[in-house]
Amino acid sequence: MYDLIVVGGGPAGASAAITAARSGASVLVLERAKYPRHKVCGEFVSAESLGLLRNLLAAPYQSLLDGAIRISEGRIFLDGRLLHAPVDPPAASIARFDLDEVLYQSALAAGVKIRVQTTVQAISGSVTFRVSTPAEEFEARAVINASGRWSNLTAAPVANAEKWLGIKAHYAEIAPAPSVDLYFFEGGYCGVQPVTLRTDHSSHGRVNAAAMVRADVASSLPQILSLNPALADRSREWQLLSDPVTTSPLIFRKPQPVRDGVLNAGDAAAFVDPFVGDGISLALRSGALAAECMGSPELYAQQYQRRFGPVFRASSQLRRLLRLPQQIRKPILSVLEHTPAVTEFFVTRTR
């Protein structure tokens, strides 16, 4: 009998597991993949969660944060316009390949038991929970679902929704700027920012290109890179450094922090628009909050809505703005382009 079983070992699951284990709980993490691994991710860690991340990392892995590239500006390329927004305090750019690995090692150091390549098939119970895998069953007093935006443990998607997919790869670029650049086009966007890998000792620059696109618009990064003129020009000399990874479907729905007594964290609770740059931050923060509230689903639901509800509302408003016809967007973008304070306001709304 464990005090807590966490399903999923990404940032949300690791944050929950480490937080609970350090409070004295016996914790088991069940992860269907293995470490290290590349994941579709913007690899943008907002300043609001950097303190939490530092506290989660065991001492030998603190250098990951110390050596991370700092992102101090956001640039938005839309309808032929360029909007600037300061990122203050600066965010950090951390490859998921590195982040998941050091969180995994930090969880082990905290006393968490982790089983990789283990798929959870079902969760049953209420006062105590039974978690079933193909090989065996486990029991726990509490369960946190951090299995991601789409799994057999997460609420079913809305029928007839548009099919969106995510795709990402690393490319070589000479002297990339310390900014997160969002290139929008009809049917999606691509985010680009500099990033490093701990195992990469070459002298070239590395950028992460992560896109969210409607499946009927494009299905590969070369196609996506050609959809925005500024991005097509920038990427012309890029060299591919990692195999592209994809994920689908990407589903937007109202946050569901609790389901049948199980606490949902990270994308399992809700998928936030990637362009707001809060995915990793929300994962880390909601995972820690779930661990703190693991004995009280009602408290978790209340605190989740209070802390994270504004982010989802703001991102939904920005999504609606981007869906407006170009002729309607044009005067709005003109105001944003000539009034940086307004653009900065939109950015801070998602923090």
Side-chain angles (χ1 to χ4, degrees), residues 322-334:
L322 294 169
R323 284 176 173 266
L324 291 173
Q326 186 173 349
Q327 61 269 26
I328 298 177
R329 282 201 309 258
K330 187 175 180 180
I332 300 174
L333 292 175
S334 179

Side-chain angles (χ1 to χ4, degrees), residues 155-203:
V158 178
N160 300 319
E162 293 177 323
K163 185 178 180 181
W164 292 82
L165 62 89
I167 183 168
K168 152 223 162 142
H170 287 175
Y171 290 88
E173 181 182 75
I174 298 173
S179 64
V180 54
D181 301 330
L182 305 178
Y183 297 88
F184 288 91
F185 47 82
E186 193 63 34
Y189 90 102
C190 182
V192 179
Q193 71 182 41
V195 70
T196 59
L197 277 179
R198 292 195 305 159
T199 55
D200 183 2
H201 303 294
S202 62
S203 59

